[in-house]
Amino acid sequence: MHSLDITAARRLALARAGLLSRRWSGLPRRAAGGGRRARQAAHQIVRRFGYLQVDSVSVAGARSHGLVLLSRLQGFEAQLAEDLLRPGEPLFEYWGHEASWLPMDLYPVFAFRRQEFRVHPWWGDLLSQHPKVADDLLRRIEDDGPVRSIDLEDKGRAGWWDLGVSKKVLVTLWSRGDVAIRQRSGFQRSFDLTERVIDLAWRSRDMERPEAFRRLMLLALDGHGWATRGTLAATWRLRNCGDELQAALEQLREQGLVAPCQLIKDDGRKLAGWIRPEHMSLAAELRRLRTDTAKGVLLSPFDPVLWDRQRVKLLFDFEQLLEIFKPAPQRRYGYYCLPVLAGDRLVGRVDLKAQRKEGTLHVLSRHPEDLPSTARRRRAEAAIDDALHRYSKALGLRLVGG
C-alpha cells in the first residue's frame, strides 16, 4: 500500500495542475501573445486536466477559463481565452466537469452521457413534449446555418433559469448530441449540426461505458495527482455509479495503471485514495522543493485545484468560499474572491472589480490568511501584492487600491 503525507499530496496536486515550474509539471509556464504558440500552450493545459470549465462571471476582468490559463501561462493574453473554441481547434464544448471545453479525442468517451441526456436532467423528456419545436430548430439550422442561443430568447425573460421553450429545446438537443457548439463569441454560443462541427472520425467511435469510465479515471488522476474516489467521481460529475467506478479502478489497478494510496493526515488518521504509480517518485522528489516565496498568483475560484472544497481544506488548510449567491451583508470576503497561491500554500484572497472603460482594476478587499509567524505574514502580504500587480499587468489595467 502506497502512502503520502499532506505536504507531498499538496505539492503533487500543484505539480500535476501546472502550478509549479515546468521541471515539476511538464507543462509550459510561458505563452506570450495570442498566436499559435499561445493556443498550443493553452491546449496542453486543457489536455492535462481533460477539461477547462467555462463560466460567465467577468467582474474580475477575466472569466474563469481565462483566469485558469493566466495563472499558468506568463504572457498569455486574456482575450485569447475567449476565442479558444472556434472551428478547426481540437476542442469541443460539452458537460465535462460542468460546461467545459474538452479535448476533441474525448468526444467518443462521452457517448454514455449523450445517451443519458436524451432525457434532460433538469427539464425531463422535453423533446417528447415539444417535438415540433425540436424539428423546426433542426430544420432551421440545417437550412440557414448556425443559430445563437441569444436569438431564441423570449422577450421579457431573463437569465439562465428563466429560459423560453425554444432555448431549452436547443440546449437539450446539444446535450444529447444532435447539435454541437460551433464557437463562442462574446461568450455567446453558436449551435450547428453536430456533423458540421465534429469530424466523422470522432463521431463514429462511441466508447462503451466501462471503457469510458476507465479513461476518465485516468484523466482525473493525471490532473489531481492523489485523489479519493469521491473526488475522481466529482471531476466528471459521475453520480450514483460507485460500483462501476470501483470496478474501473480495480481493472486499472490490475493493469498497473493506478494504485491504492493512503493519505496520512497530520493527526495520523488515514484516508483511502488512488494515485498513478509513476507519480509516487514525483511526490518524493517534490520534498526538496523550496516553497517560501514572496511571489504570488491569483487563481480562479473554479480552478481545478479549488472546486473540491473538502479537498482544499484537507491539503491547504484553506476554507474556499464562493459567495456570489449570498446577499452582500452575509459575505465574509466578497462577491468573487480569487485565492492567492504562493509556493505551495494559499496565503489569502482578493475581491476585484475591473472597469474596462476606465482602464482600471479595483481591489475591493484583500484578506491574507492568519499565519503563525511574522515572517510568513510578511511574505504572504508581499505575495498578494505581487499577484495583484502581475494580474493587472496581464489585463492591461491600472491597479487601484490594494
Side-chain angles (χ1 to χ4, degrees):
M1 173 67 71
H2 295 292
S3 65
L4 293 176
D5 63 16
I6 295 291
T7 298
R10 179 175 64 248
R11 293 180 180 181
L12 180 62
L14 292 173
R16 297 307 300 168
L19 287 166
L20 298 183
S21 71
R22 184 165 192 160
R23 173 186 179 185
W24 304 112
S25 72
L27 291 174
R29 295 292 280 155
R30 302 181 66 88
R36 192 67 218 165
R37 287 187 178 180
R39 286 183 173 275
Q40 290 171 345
H43 294 156
Q44 285 183 260
I45 302 296
V46 178
R47 283 197 297 272
R48 168 61 59 86
F49 301 122
Y51 67 92
L52 180 63
Q53 181 180 345
V54 295
D55 188 78
S56 62
V57 179
S58 60
V59 65
R63 296 184 173 92
S64 178
H65 40 289
L67 286 164
V68 169
L69 296 173
L70 283 168
S71 65
R72 289 154 173 84
L73 299 172
Q74 186 175 347
F76 187 81
E77 290 186 1
Q79 185 55 39
L80 176 57
E82 300 300 313
D83 190 38
L84 273 184
L85 188 71
R86 68 181 190 183
E89 295 294 334
L91 300 173
F92 72 103
E93 183 167 333
Y94 194 59
W95 301 112
H97 174 67
E98 297 290 351
S100 304
W101 293 339
L102 308 163
M104 190 63 76
D105 62 0
L106 290 188
Y107 189 83
V109 176
F110 282 97
F112 76 92
R113 182 156 288 163
R114 293 191 292 274
Q115 181 64 33
E116 286 179 350
F117 282 10
R118 296 185 73 82
V119 175
H120 200 277
W122 301 335
W123 304 316
D125 197 1
L126 195 67
L127 300 184
S128 294
Q129 298 167 24
H130 302 282
K132 187 177 186 304
V133 175
D135 290 343
D136 288 348
L137 269 173
L138 289 171
R139 190 177 301 111
R140 172 181 172 180
I141 294 171
E142 182 177 10
D143 294 343
D144 300 336
V147 62
R148 298 180 305 163
S149 53
I150 195 173
D151 296 331
L152 303 178
E153 289 181 354
D154 294 342
K155 300 301 181 183
R157 293 179 179 266
W160 177 258
W161 300 112
D162 195 15
L163 303 178
V165 170
S166 293
K167 196 171 179 182
K168 284 183 180 179
V169 168
L170 181 61
V171 172
T172 303
L173 289 169
W174 166 61
S175 298
R176 78 172 194 174
D178 295 82
V179 299
I181 296 173
R182 185 173 186 82
Q183 65 184 54
R184 281 187 182 260
S185 179
F187 207 65
Q188 280 294 324
R189 296 174 293 182
S190 176
F191 295 84
D192 202 349
L193 298 180
T194 300
E195 56 263 33
R196 295 175 181 166
V197 178
I198 310 295
D199 287 346
L200 178 61
W202 300 118
R203 288 186 283 113
S204 60
R205 300 183 192 175
D206 284 0
M207 189 175 287
E208 294 296 325
R209 187 178 175 101
E211 184 182 356
F213 279 16
R214 291 194 294 272
R215 175 76 181 277
L216 293 177
M217 292 300 94
L218 289 177
L219 262 176
L221 277 175
D222 279 340
H224 289 305
W226 174 91
T228 65
R229 195 184 77 181
T231 293
L232 298 178
T235 301
W236 304 109
R237 294 300 189 248
L238 298 171
R239 300 181 176 92
N240 303 317
C241 52
D243 290 345
E244 292 176 278
L245 294 181
Q246 188 64 31
L249 288 165
E250 291 297 342
Q251 288 173 330
L252 293 169
R253 177 186 185 179
E254 291 172 3
Q255 297 169 21
L257 298 175
V258 305
C261 181
Q262 294 179 331
L263 183 71
I264 311 300
K265 299 182 181 180
D266 293 338
D267 61 7
R269 289 184 298 169
K270 299 174 182 179
L271 181 63
W274 295 85
I275 196 169
R276 298 273 258 160
E278 61 267 29
H279 293 162
M280 286 300 303
S281 58
L282 174 59
E285 288 186 75
L286 287 167
R287 277 287 179 193
R288 51 195 171 93
L289 181 67
R290 180 180 176 182
T291 60
D292 287 337
T293 178
K295 293 183 178 180
V297 62
L298 302 184
L299 301 183
S300 162
F302 300 113
D303 194 282
V305 300
L306 293 180
W307 55 255
D308 188 333
R309 297 180 187 180
Q310 290 184 336
R311 177 180 167 88
V312 174
K313 183 64 177 175
L314 177 66
L315 297 186
F316 293 91
D317 193 25
F318 183 87
E319 187 177 8
Q320 169 58 7
L321 294 177
L322 184 64
E323 301 183 282
I324 288 176
F325 303 109
K326 289 184 179 180
Q330 297 179 20
R331 295 176 193 143
R332 288 174 56 187
Y333 299 113
Y335 176 75
Y336 191 74
C337 276
L338 309 184
V340 180
L341 177 71
D344 71 340
R345 304 305 303 235
L346 296 169
V347 298
R349 65 197 91 204
V350 294
D351 191 27
L352 307 177
K353 185 173 183 179
Q355 299 281 8
R356 286 282 182 185
K357 291 183 178 179
E358 290 77 17
T360 54
L361 179 67
H362 294 261
V363 181
L364 303 181
S365 66
R366 59 186 284 165
H367 303 273
E369 288 290 277
D370 186 15
L371 299 172
S373 71
T374 301
R376 288 183 62 183
R377 287 193 293 271
R378 286 175 178 169
R379 283 196 297 271
E381 291 284 7
I384 294 172
D385 288 338
D386 180 64
L388 286 169
H389 283 92
R390 288 174 60 185
Y391 181 64
S392 62
K393 182 179 178 181
L395 295 183
L397 299 177
R398 178 170 56 86
L399 193 63
V400 178

